[in-house]
Amino acid sequence: MDADAPGTAATGREAGSLPSPRLPQQAPDGDPHEGPAGDAAAAAVPTTTTAVTIVTAPGAWQRRLEHVERLGRVARIRTVPLVPRLLVAAVAVAVAIGAVMRFATPSHLWLDESLTVAIASRPVPDLLHSLRHDGSPPLYYLLLHGWISVFGDGDVAVRALSGVLSLLTLPLAWFAGRRVGRTAYAAGNGERDAPMWVGVATLLMFACSPYAIRYGSETRMYSLVVLLVLVFGLTAVRALERSTPPRLAALTLATAALVYTHYWTFLLIFTVAAFLLLQARRRPHYRRVTLRAFAAMAASAALFAPWMPSFLFQMLHTGTPWAPKVQAQVLLDTVFDWAGPQSTGALLGVVLLGGALIGLTARPAGGRELAVRVTGRVPGRYLAAIWLLPLVLAYFVNSFGGSAYAERYTGIALPACLLLASLGIAQLPGTRVRAIVLVLAVFSGLVGGWQLARTERTQAGEIAGRIVALARPGDVVAYCPDQLGPAVHRALVRHGPLTVREIVYADASGPALVDWVDYADRMQRANGTAFADEVNELAGPDHAVLLVRADGYRFLEGACAVLSDQLATLRDRTVQVERRDLYEGASLERFSTLR
């Protein structure tokens, strides 16, 4: 339900909010004064804020709020007729294409996907135990476990869950965009049609986002993260509008769901919690409602407590040993990573950054002009904070704490960035200009998303097919590093019952899983020559060795090359599959029976 729909708007004193102690004043450029009675109440949280929390102030500002509420009450009847039919059709087509792309990926499952399916396919107790060695929280795996029990574990079936979750973000994105536009209009930082334009732009940005398409077609939790970030933002806004027990309970559940899905969401939650405490300190009249929201978020710790022993074990022993250090430039690179391949991502990246800058600083000033305030405007400044602060925290954690900074983890900040860019597009003067910019964003996003969705991510399928063609019963398949095992093993199993024996470098968990516990230490202690002797003895004189190999992995140094060279001194070596430049490339070498 919209905040300004009948029964939810609050033009007077409401539960959980206090009247403003003074009237908002007009700034010289026409914006309402953004003091305690202004921006703190209009922007209760940095994600999506609403005008209904500014209460009891008579005069021009109160009349504007009442106008916004009347506009919202008739929005469902009047919005569509005001939009040209051609635009409605174009939006529907773009959304449909983006939706189809989420289910049209021909690539085989790569390492992370294969690991996820292998863990989720296990009985729940084994699933939870396996996650201690994997380093992830359990919510997505439990959802996938139930999904597999209904739809099976085929590639299309297991990826479809992420596609469905990604589609569920679209109505929430539309809803969140309209709320942002309504807040901008109520604060004097948007035009009357801002709710409609921000809603349409946000819907298109999410539907055609290369990031959303890429991870909507992957068996990982990142689509669920984006969905829950939107849910979290909307529940936080509703709790700050009226802090009733059901709304506070919803905020607690949304917070718990985030941390049970991915640990990077702690960065987002800490950012919002810090903002609420700051508002409680700086805005005495707003302290009660913000502290209630903060308490509701903090209450999620009770729900997370059962997982806390596993979480602490993971933090001490799993980590991300594969992750290199990054430079501060990664914060800018993240936006272009969201925008897709370089061929189209550069254009969409410019649209996102330009739109975000306008959404942060500008408002329409009449005609074809924009009034710019470098310190930012409501609600743009809060969206910018939710976009940037978690990424800055992640950069510092990577620099000093050893955690990974990976593009796929940054979905926690994607919704705020897309909302801010959509707000900026809606601020552009003239329908034609807005439509042109949206067309550019949609075109580049869909092209980039198509390239990502259709690109093969791993050579596992190719290698498995070659192994099936070459191997005789009893031959040995060796994996170096162990991270190549899950995808190739899954592809081999898909071909039928295994007739080969598999062995993994420095990993006793077998080819279907990777044990990340104390991974770096274990890899540095292992020895390629010793493993070659073990593989050679396992194969014996009558069976060949098939080595799935890739060099360049952290902490292995030249171990896999040493393994290959050592086997070559004992057996004849032939390269069966050359390593290609893929996300997860590998080669296949065959070592014949003993000379």
Side-chain angles (χ1 to χ4, degrees), residues 4-280:
D4 61 353
T8 62
T11 56
R13 187 173 306 181
E14 59 182 58
S17 64
L18 297 177
S20 176
R22 62 181 182 181
L23 298 181
Q25 302 173 5
Q26 288 293 111
D29 64 355
D31 280 354
H33 177 72
E34 295 176 355
D39 73 342
V45 293
T47 48
T48 52
T49 57
T50 88
V52 297
T53 55
I54 306 177
V55 295
T56 71
W61 182 246
Q62 183 67 24
R63 289 195 297 271
R64 179 181 288 275
L65 281 178
E66 293 170 353
H67 177 64
V68 173
E69 291 158 6
R70 288 195 300 271
L71 180 64
R73 284 192 288 270
V74 300
R76 292 178 179 83
I77 300 174
R78 297 183 57 192
T79 298
V80 173
L82 288 175
V83 180
R85 293 182 180 179
L86 180 61
L87 178 59
V88 173
V91 169
V93 169
V95 171
I97 294 173
V100 169
M101 286 185 187
R102 288 159 165 80
F103 300 91
T105 301
S107 170
H108 293 81
L109 271 62
W110 69 288
L111 164 64
D112 282 6
E113 293 181 281
S114 301
L115 272 174
T116 301
V117 175
I119 294 172
S121 300
R122 299 184 167 211
V124 171
D126 291 345
L127 182 159
L128 299 176
H129 176 75
S130 297
L131 286 176
R132 284 174 60 90
H133 294 256
D134 180 75
S136 297
L139 180 58
Y140 178 80
Y141 292 84
L142 293 172
L143 290 176
L144 184 60
H145 177 83
W147 183 272
I148 289 173
S149 67
V150 176
F151 299 103
D153 64 351
D155 289 3
V156 174
V158 295
R159 282 177 167 155
L161 174 60
S162 293
V164 170
L165 293 171
S166 186
L167 291 184
L168 291 177
T169 64
L170 300 185
L172 291 179
W174 158 259
F175 185 47
R178 290 184 61 216
R179 293 180 72 99
V180 168
R182 202 172 297 126
T183 300
Y185 175 66
N189 294 327
E191 294 182 340
R192 180 175 178 270
D193 59 357
M196 184 272 291
W197 273 105
V198 181
V200 169
T202 306
L203 174 63
L204 289 173
M205 287 291 189
F206 274 85
C208 304
S209 163
Y211 178 98
I213 293 171
R214 166 72 167 83
Y215 294 107
S217 63
E218 182 168 300
T219 312
R220 292 291 283 165
M221 70 288 292
Y222 308 116
S223 289
L224 180 59
V225 168
V226 174
L227 173 64
L228 290 177
V229 167
L230 285 171
V231 172
F232 170 73
L234 292 170
T235 56
V237 167
R238 290 179 62 81
L240 287 163
E241 289 171 354
R242 186 176 300 152
S243 53
T244 60
R247 295 188 180 196
L248 294 173
L251 179 57
T252 300
L253 292 175
T255 307
L258 278 176
V259 295
Y260 266 115
T261 301
H262 199 280
Y263 295 137
W264 260 44
T265 58
F266 278 113
L267 304 175
L268 173 66
I269 292 168
F270 290 160
T271 299
V272 175
F275 174 81
L276 292 176
L277 292 178
L278 180 63
Q279 288 290 306

Side-chain angles (χ1 to χ4, degrees), residues 191 358 364-370 424-434:
E191 294 182 340
I358 294 172
R368 295 186 175 274
E369 296 182 354
L370 295 173
I425 292 172
Q427 306 287 42
L428 294 173
T431 300
R432 180 176 300 180
V433 175
R434 298 170 188 170

Side-chain angles (χ1 to χ4, degrees), residues 444-478:
S444 57
L446 290 178
V447 172
W450 175 258
Q451 290 176 300
L452 291 174
R454 302 297 296 178
T455 298
E456 179 64 68
R457 300 165 190 173
T458 177
Q459 284 185 259
E462 178 186 4
I463 289 173
R466 189 61 180 157
I467 290 174
V468 169
L470 288 172
R472 297 177 302 167
D475 283 353
V476 173
V477 177

